[in-house]
Amino acid sequence: MHQAPLALTIGEPSGIGPDITVAAWLKRNADNLPPFYLIGDADLIRRRAALLGEGIDVVETSPQDAVGIFARALPVAPTGHTATGTPGKPDATSAWAAIASIEQAVADVKTGVASAVVTNPIAKSVLYSAGFKHPGHTEFLAELAANGGRIPKPVMMIWSETLAVVPVTIHLPLRQAIADLTTDLILETARIVVADMKHRFGLRAPRLAIAGLNPHAGEDGTLGKEDGAIVAPAVEQLRREGIDARGPLPADTMFHEAARKTYDCAICMYHDQALIPVKTLAFDSGVNVTLGLPFIRTSPDHGTAFDIAGTGRANPSSLIAALRLAARMARANAAS
């Protein structure tokens, strides 16, 4: 079955997004990459490729024609927004070029001309200077995905071939993360994870390992009451629903090789509990996946890296992994 190409956003034009896009396209054959097209300013990509010393063909095109072009040139679907910022120095054009690219990618996947959205890193501070009202990239995508006024709840997964993790609370101070943790939040998060792992990862019965909040999962309440009062009831309810869930488990013994073989995703209670192990094991190949949206979205698990933009030092491995995973998820979703 023919699969539509992936829609790749430009991200922050003055960051490493253009660099890793060029590098990924150059590795399309060696890494057997699925066809993708970049949404953005073709002239910006030509300038960046020249700065990097790469003489590639860049062709403005429609998403419908991208697959036929991909083998010989990097397809770029224009938004009408130019980006004039130099590497490491965004200017006023950066924000609108980035926003328009995201909006167009979501529109393309909604109409079926793209099979998934892959997003290059953005700089929220740059977007805020242009009046961007959303807390971040993911929240903007969720609003664009709204159906009948209902905004879906996005769930962040960091995925790698070695380990997949989901933090229940994300970008919060630790004190607030503990205060905000509830049984219902764990349940809502875990149900979204299971649904997407079934339909988009092709797992018939996903296995969840659910971390405790406290050291040693509270050690029968002697190291904190939250695991018995908040986490354990969520695990029990998930099991009543037929979900293969275990926990609360001591987080310090969840991530060694033998333990990882016993589950498909680790559900963690706060940001660092989830991201420290996955970034230790798969720093260059981790993929940020947004679950819970009506379309597939992946992203490299790193930022704009202004300090190395345009130098040729940016590593495209995470973007390559994001492109490959997006195509894999799209195939599984089509087959489910």
Side-chain angles (χ1 to χ4, degrees):
M1 181 183 297
H2 170 72
Q3 183 169 305
L6 306 174
L8 176 61
T9 68
I10 188 69
E12 166 51 56
S14 295
I16 62 169
D19 305 46
I20 58 177
T21 297
V22 169
W25 182 81
L26 287 168
K27 293 169 71 69
R28 66 198 182 284
N29 295 325
D31 286 3
N32 194 28
L33 289 186
F36 64 85
Y37 62 96
L38 183 70
I39 302 175
D41 182 351
D43 285 338
L44 172 84
I45 300 302
R46 293 186 184 105
R47 293 195 303 271
R48 188 65 60 88
L51 179 64
L52 296 169
E54 302 292 355
I56 70 169
D57 288 329
V58 177
V59 175
E60 285 196 4
T61 185
S62 67
Q64 293 87 343
D65 294 330
V67 172
I69 291 169
F70 184 75
R72 62 178 176 82
L74 174 60
V76 176
T79 63
H81 289 266
T82 59
T84 59
T86 57
K89 298 178 180 179
D91 64 21
T93 67
S94 286
W96 297 114
I99 291 167
S101 182
I102 297 166
E103 291 174 335
Q104 188 59 54
V106 172
D108 287 353
V109 79
K110 280 183 172 182
T111 58
V113 297
S115 60
V117 174
V118 181
T119 58
N120 266 309
I122 61 169
K124 288 184 285 188
S125 61
V126 175
L127 300 190
Y128 293 155
S129 70
F132 189 71
K133 303 296 185 183
H134 307 276
H137 213 159
T138 301
E139 292 83 0
F140 184 37
L141 287 162
E143 182 165 305
L144 292 174
N147 184 13
R150 179 182 175 275
I151 299 176
K153 173 181 170 56
V155 168
M156 181 178 80
M157 170 186 278
I158 306 298
W159 177 94
S160 72
E161 293 285 359
T162 307
L163 174 66
V165 299
V166 168
V168 175
T169 63
I170 307 178
H171 297 119
L172 298 173
L174 187 55
R175 187 187 301 275
Q176 186 180 345
I178 295 170
D180 287 2
L181 186 68
T182 65
T183 299
D184 285 344
L185 182 59
I186 297 169
L187 285 170
E188 183 181 28
T189 302
R191 288 167 180 152
I192 290 170
V193 171
V194 168
D196 271 24
M197 293 197 87
K198 284 182 176 179
H199 297 298
R200 293 177 175 174
F201 286 83
L203 298 177
R204 184 173 299 176
R207 302 167 299 166
L208 304 183
I210 300 184
L213 173 67
N214 295 298
H216 303 172
E219 203 162 288
D220 296 324
T222 61
L223 294 176
K225 306 297 185 185
E226 293 89 352
D227 292 292
I230 297 173
V231 185
V235 177
E236 292 164 8
Q237 177 59 33
L238 291 170
R239 293 180 67 83
R240 283 194 292 269
E241 295 173 11
I243 293 171
D244 185 347
R246 293 182 296 118
L249 301 173
D252 62 348
T253 58
M254 278 180 57
F255 300 108
H256 63 83
E257 185 176 4
R260 295 196 306 270
K261 293 178 181 178
T262 66
Y263 59 83
D264 301 301
C265 181
I267 308 292
C268 301
M269 297 303 105
Y270 55 92
H271 181 277
D272 284 11
Q273 189 183 60
L275 271 67
I276 287 173
V278 74
K279 290 195 174 187
T280 299
L281 292 167
F283 186 79
D284 290 324
S285 58
V287 178
N288 188 331
V289 185
T290 305
L291 309 179
L293 300 178
F295 52 82
I296 294 161
R297 183 264 182 138
T298 67
S299 180
D301 186 27
H302 58 67
T304 55
F306 283 128
D307 57 322
I308 60 170
T311 68
R313 291 161 46 205
N315 186 343
S317 296
S318 188
L319 175 59
I320 288 170
L323 291 162
R324 296 182 71 169
L325 180 61
R328 170 179 154 184
M329 292 175 70
R331 289 192 298 270
N333 193 57
S336 67

